[in-house]
Amino acid sequence: EVQLVESGGGLVQVGGSLRLSCTASGITSDYYAVGWFRQAPGKEREGISCINSSDRSTYYADSVKGRFTISSDKNTAYLQMNSLKPKDTAVYYCAVVSRDGRSWFHSGYLREEMYPYWGQGTQVTVFS
């Protein structure tokens, strides 16, 4: 069974930084994608970044491009969030999907329907 645990959320002032972690267990494939998503109160869940395990290629939503950086190491994925803004306040989730290593990694991995496995979420609150 695949399990994901996020950590690193919290309260941060505008302009500050946080690093979220997503630790996975139970993944048996060498090829997988990890996505980071967020959901603000009253809004739909938004895909903000994803990474391909094999070549570390990445995609970002325009809303976070240049401020957030996704990375991964062994069984943990990270989301470094810099220059945080109040609109970044949300519950952040990581998700994972096993992939065929020969298939094309594309920006569609920013869509939540690509992912069968999800973490429980971690709250990020940015205050001014």
Side-chain angles (χ1 to χ4, degrees):
E1 180 185 4
V2 176
Q3 292 188 326
L4 304 174
V5 178
E6 300 103 334
S7 60
L11 289 168
V12 62
Q13 204 162 12
V14 168
S17 298
L18 281 176
R19 189 175 82 154
L20 305 183
S21 299
C22 172
T23 301
S25 61
I27 298 176
T28 57
S29 173
D30 289 334
Y31 300 97
Y32 55 90
V34 178
W36 281 100
F37 297 78
R38 67 184 181 186
Q39 188 166 22
K43 294 189 176 181
E44 294 185 353
R45 190 151 55 184
E46 172 192 18
I48 55 175
S49 187
C50 57
I51 187 167
N52 185 25
S53 67
S54 58
D55 63 3
R56 302 294 194 267
S57 55
T58 60
Y59 288 96
Y60 295 92
D62 289 343
S63 57
V64 304
K65 198 172 294 182
R67 300 187 298 122
F68 291 10
T69 303
I70 191 171
S71 61
S72 67
D73 179 19
K74 295 182 180 179
N75 65 333
T76 301
Y78 304 94
L79 187 68
Q80 177 67 42
M81 306 186 295
N82 298 328
S83 303
L84 283 162
K85 306 174 182 180
K87 66 179 182 179
D88 295 317
T89 294
V91 178
Y92 284 70
Y93 301 88
C94 65
V96 70
V97 58
S98 296
R99 301 182 59 245
D100 180 343
R102 298 163 297 179
S103 64
W104 175 38
F105 182 69
H106 51 81
S107 61
Y109 281 88
L110 288 172
R111 301 198 308 265
E112 61 179 296
E113 58 264 31
M114 298 292 282
Y115 297 88
Y117 304 109
W118 291 80
Q120 82 288 351
T122 185
Q123 176 71 46
V124 172
T125 303
V126 184
F127 64 95
S128 55

